[in-house]
Amino acid sequence: MTIIQTPEPGDATGDVAEIYAKDERDLGYVAEYTRVMAFNPEAYRAWEQLVRAIIAQLGVRRFELVTLAAAEGTHSQHCRLAHGRKTLAVMDADDVEAVARDFHDAGLSEAEVAMMDYAKRVSEDSSAMTDADALRLRELGFTDREIVDITLAAAARNYFSRAIQALGVSVEVPPGISDGLRDALLAPL
C-alpha cells in the first residue's frame, strides 16, 4: 500500500478527475498506479503524450512486446500485468501467455525476440550496453528511428515502473487476466 493519500474517484476534481475518468472508461476502474501518478497531472499527461508519440512510430504490437520485456527487466509486477492485458488487444491469450513465460520460445520472429532482448537489457543494465546491442537490431532490419523508438519505449517503461515501485503502489490484477496468464506474466519476476 502506498503512503500517498490519493482522492477517491468520486472526490477527484479537475485534471485528476479527467485522468480517473479515462481509466474508468478504458479499464472499468481507476488503477492504483493511476491514482498515485495522477497526483501530478501535468507529469502524467506528459507521460501519456510520450507513450502516444512512441506508439505512433513503433506500432502497438511492438510497443507492447518491448514494454513486457522492459517490465520483466525492472521486475515490475504492475506493468507486466497491466501490459499483459493491453497485449491481448493485439495477440490472442495463448500467444501472450507464451510470450510472458519465455519470449525466446513463443513463436515470435527473430527480430521481435532481439527487440525484446534489447529492451530487457536496457532495463537491467543500460550502462553495460555497447554498440553491438543496437547493431544487432540494425542487422535484423530495424531502422535508426525504430532503434531509437525501441529504446525510448524501454526507457519510458523504466521511468513508470520504477516510480510506482518506489512509491509502494499496490499490485492489482486487472480484469480480463486469466489465472494462467497472470501466473505466466509474474513467473519470470
Side-chain angles (χ1 to χ4, degrees):
M1 177 71 118
T2 183
I3 63 161
I4 306 301
Q5 306 266 329
T6 62
E8 292 297 321
D11 298 331
T13 59
D15 287 344
V16 174
E18 290 175 19
I19 291 168
Y20 281 17
K22 183 179 181 303
D23 254 24
E24 288 175 343
R25 282 190 308 274
D26 295 348
L27 303 174
Y29 67 101
V30 180
E32 188 70 20
Y33 57 80
T34 300
R35 291 174 63 155
V36 171
M37 297 300 275
F39 217 85
N40 181 336
E42 298 82 11
Y44 190 85
R45 289 195 191 278
W47 154 256
E48 287 184 320
Q49 185 175 351
L50 172 64
V51 168
R52 282 192 302 273
I54 295 167
I55 291 172
Q57 296 302 312
L58 200 55
V60 174
R61 179 184 169 98
R62 283 183 172 176
F63 178 82
E64 293 303 338
L65 291 174
V66 166
T67 296
L68 287 174
E72 182 177 336
T74 61
H75 304 281
S76 176
Q77 294 179 13
H78 308 85
C79 295
R80 289 280 290 185
L81 291 166
H83 285 276
R85 180 180 188 223
K86 288 183 179 190
T87 305
L88 291 171
V90 293
M91 297 174 74
D92 70 41
D94 290 338
D95 290 341
V96 176
E97 188 172 327
V99 168
R101 287 199 188 282
D102 182 359
F103 62 86
H104 297 99
D105 189 32
L108 298 175
S109 71
E110 183 179 5
E112 288 174 324
V113 170
M115 175 184 73
M116 291 182 76
D117 277 332
Y118 179 91
K120 188 175 175 194
R121 187 156 162 81
V122 167
S123 302
E124 291 173 336
D125 191 4
S126 60
S127 68
M129 295 180 77
T130 67
D131 289 349
D133 295 298
L135 286 173
R136 175 71 180 132
L137 295 179
R138 183 175 290 142
E139 289 168 1
L140 291 169
F142 289 99
T143 65
D144 287 347
R145 174 63 187 258
E146 290 169 325
I147 294 168
V148 168
D149 287 331
I150 291 165
T151 306
L152 289 173
R157 180 56 38 210
N158 276 257
Y159 156 75
F160 202 85
S161 294
R162 292 178 195 285
I164 62 179
Q165 288 168 331
L167 292 167
V169 173
S170 300
V171 176
E172 301 169 299
V173 178
I177 297 286
S178 68
D179 291 344
L181 181 53
R182 180 201 62 223
D183 293 347
L185 289 161
L186 299 179
L189 308 179

